[in-house]
């Protein structure tokens, strides 16, 4: 399939996820929500929705929308003030969206997520069910990270990764990442001679590109996070377009704007994708060379006999990184024992452990179904 056809994935999408950043929704100073810019975006998305596409909007802007009401002059850096700004700004943001979509006879529904909602299986199953039902009812879901309650340890950190995971969650056919830069360039856009990269096919397409990580003072994501988000979506088989908010109409029509990230290879299962990209490791298990080969080459479960060390504090069911003897991370999985239990089990067979401690110890430390190779 040609690149033009892959851009058409977005135009033809039955279900589409669009992410917009704070800098695309606020005024030049970053101190207040710019409803004119918000309305311009909504007009385009509403036309798509009324034409038959299901649209999920992942929107930043809650913290930015709370800056002016709190009497602040710029985006706060400490977590408590960010949460206070999000608490004030989230209501204003959704109200603005409801007014804008309401002009077109459409209703919005607010969905606030934390990283835990897409890490714990029961949580993300419920999130998927809710989003599916909203879309079936003709509602436009407005998704944002729940900044009011998220802590540094459990937050996504930016809505780019959240958008890619939501795209996978709802089985979207396309993802559009809107920012204040019109495309990915082969170097810093401000540098003379930098040219637009129209297409990235797989990870190899990024090898000759220098990507800067600096975001705006209003938002928290830079170009690196957007490329990572596109990679996550591609791993789920989802075509992704990166462009500016001012070009959203052309991007949704499948025109040659921005940068299209084309998925290659096999599509990862839901379970594997979530483990690789939606979890934050709570600890590390150090493996001997034999266990590394067993896990990465033979794709077996991890047994206590192959573990040489335990780092961190975690409970059973938490995600942990699996590391080679030199410390290199080779995989991630959900552990069946706590960090308090594991040290006494290292290097021992499950048969011996069951004889000494009981039959509940004759199980894997990490089952292969709960393990992804990184």
């Amino acid at each position: 399939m040609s690149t033009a056809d892959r851009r058409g994935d977005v135009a033809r999408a039955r279900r589409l996820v669009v992410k917009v950043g704070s800098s695309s929704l606020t005024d030049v100073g970053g101190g207040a929500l710019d409803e004119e810019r918000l309305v311009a975006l909504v007009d385009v998305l509403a036309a798509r929705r009324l034409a038959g596409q299901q649209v999920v909007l992942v929107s930043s802007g809650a913290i930015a929308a709370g800056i002016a009401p709190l009497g602040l002059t710029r985006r706060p850096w400490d977590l408590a003030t960010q949460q206070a700004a999000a608490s004030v700004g989230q209501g204003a943001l959704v109200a603005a969206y409801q007014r804008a979509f309401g002009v077109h006879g459409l209703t919005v529904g607010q969905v606030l997520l934390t990283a835990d909602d897409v890490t714990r299986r029961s949580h993300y199953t419920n999130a998927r069910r809710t989003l599916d039902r909203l879309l079936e009812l003709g509602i436009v879901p407005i998704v944002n990270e729940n900044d009011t309650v998220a802590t540094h340890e459990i937050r996504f950190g930016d809505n780019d990764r959240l958008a890619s995971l939501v795209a996978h969650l709802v089985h979207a056919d396309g993802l559009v990442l809107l920012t204040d830069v019109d495309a990915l360039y082969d170097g810093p856009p401000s540098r003379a001679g930098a040219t637009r990269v129209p297409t990235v096919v797989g990870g190899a397409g990024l090898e000759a590109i220098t990507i800067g990580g600096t975001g705006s003072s209003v938002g928290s994501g830079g170009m690196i996070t957007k490329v990572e988000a596109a990679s996550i979506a591609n791993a789920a088989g989802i075509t992704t377009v990166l462009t500016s908010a001012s070009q959203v109409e052309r991007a949704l029509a499948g025109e040659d704007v921005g940068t299209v990230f084309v998925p290659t290879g096999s599509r990862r299962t839901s379970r594997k994708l979530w483990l690789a990209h939606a979890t934050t490791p709570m600890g590390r298990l150090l493996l001997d060379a034999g266990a590394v080969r067993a896990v990465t080459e033979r794709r077996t479960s991890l047994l206590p006999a192959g573990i040489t060390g335990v780092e961190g504090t975690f409970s059973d069911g938490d995600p942990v990184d699996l590391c080679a003897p030199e410390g290199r991370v080779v995989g991630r999985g959900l552990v069946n024992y706590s960090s308090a239990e594991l040290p006494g089990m290292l290097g021992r067979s499950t048969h011996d452990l069951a004889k000494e401690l009981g039959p509940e110890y004759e199980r894997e430390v990490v089952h292969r179904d709960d393990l992804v190779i990184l």
Side-chain angles (χ1 to χ4, degrees):
M1 183 179 291
S2 70
T3 301
D5 288 335
R6 295 318 297 255
R7 287 183 182 276
D9 289 349
V10 171
R12 294 185 295 266
R14 178 187 66 89
R15 184 171 286 185
L16 184 66
V17 173
V18 177
K19 182 266 176 179
V20 61
S22 300
S23 58
S24 299
L25 295 174
T26 52
D27 60 23
V28 177
L33 192 65
D34 187 334
E35 286 209 33
E36 186 175 332
R37 300 176 80 178
L38 182 145
V39 167
L41 171 64
V42 167
D43 287 346
V44 175
L45 299 183
R48 284 283 159 182
R49 178 65 192 87
L50 294 172
Q53 281 185 311
Q54 294 180 333
V55 178
V56 178
L57 177 59
V58 178
S59 178
S60 301
I63 293 177
I67 290 175
L70 289 179
L72 303 175
T73 57
R74 56 187 173 85
R75 181 185 174 93
W77 292 105
D78 65 289
L79 182 60
T81 309
Q82 286 180 1
Q83 291 173 326
S87 177
V88 172
Q90 188 64 47
L93 181 65
V94 173
Y97 276 125
Q98 183 56 69
R99 286 192 297 272
F101 276 105
V103 170
H104 302 276
L106 297 172
T107 300
V108 305
Q110 178 177 256
V111 180
L112 298 177
L113 297 174
T114 66
D116 210 40
D117 293 321
V118 293
T119 299
R120 302 293 179 179
R121 190 174 185 85
S122 60
H123 288 217
Y124 77 71
T125 299
N126 185 58
R128 179 171 57 199
R129 186 184 304 119
T130 300
L131 286 164
D132 280 343
R133 188 61 180 139
L134 285 169
L135 291 168
E136 289 167 1
L137 291 169
I139 306 300
V140 179
I142 308 295
V143 180
N144 195 1
E145 179 168 11
N146 194 350
D147 291 303
T148 302
V149 299
T151 64
H152 284 303
E153 288 76 18
I154 66 170
R155 66 185 317 186
F156 291 97
D158 62 80
N159 274 345
D160 297 307
R161 184 162 70 119
L162 173 59
S164 64
L165 294 168
V166 167
H168 181 68
L169 184 72
V170 301
H171 300 289
D173 306 297
L175 169 65
V176 177
L177 301 172
L178 300 177
T179 181
D180 49 4
V181 180
D182 65 345
L184 177 67
Y185 283 78
D186 60 3
S190 57
R191 189 182 67 193
T195 58
R196 176 175 72 102
V197 179
T199 308
V200 174
V201 180
L206 294 170
E207 290 176 356
I209 300 171
T210 301
I211 302 171
T214 304
S216 71
S217 62
V218 178
S220 60
M223 190 57 71
I224 289 175
T225 68
K226 291 163 181 57
V227 171
E228 289 174 346
S231 298
I232 294 170
N234 281 177
I238 300 169
T239 300
T240 301
V241 174
L242 168 67
T243 192
S244 62
S246 62
Q247 304 216 69
V248 60
E249 187 169 15
R250 296 181 63 196
L252 295 184
E255 295 183 24
D256 183 15
V257 296
T259 300
V260 61
F261 294 80
V262 179
T264 59
S266 59
R267 179 176 180 143
R268 263 185 171 170
T269 64
S270 298
R271 190 67 165 155
K272 303 297 186 182
L273 196 82
W274 293 115
L275 281 172
H277 299 293
T279 58
T280 300
M282 305 302 291
R284 289 159 51 98
L285 303 181
L286 302 179
L287 282 53
D288 62 29
V292 170
R293 287 193 298 273
V295 167
T296 61
E297 297 174 15
R298 300 200 301 274
R299 303 302 173 97
T300 66
S301 299
L302 176 63
L303 302 176
I307 304 174
T308 60
V310 177
E311 298 177 358
T313 302
F314 49 84
S315 303
D316 61 288
D318 282 342
V320 295
D321 276 344
L322 312 184
C323 303
E326 73 277 12
R328 175 175 53 90
V329 177
V330 297
R332 183 174 299 164
L334 302 181
V335 67
N336 287 322
Y337 300 92
S338 71
S339 55
E341 293 177 285
L342 270 176
M345 302 168 57
L346 303 189
R348 303 180 63 182
S349 72
T350 53
H351 179 70
D352 288 345
L353 288 168
K355 282 179 60 177
E356 179 182 335
L357 302 174
E360 67 271 21
Y361 283 85
E362 195 168 13
R363 68 186 193 276
E364 307 86 351
V365 175
V366 178
H367 192 278
R368 64 183 180 182
D369 291 343
D370 293 330
L371 190 159
V372 63
I373 305 304
L374 299 177

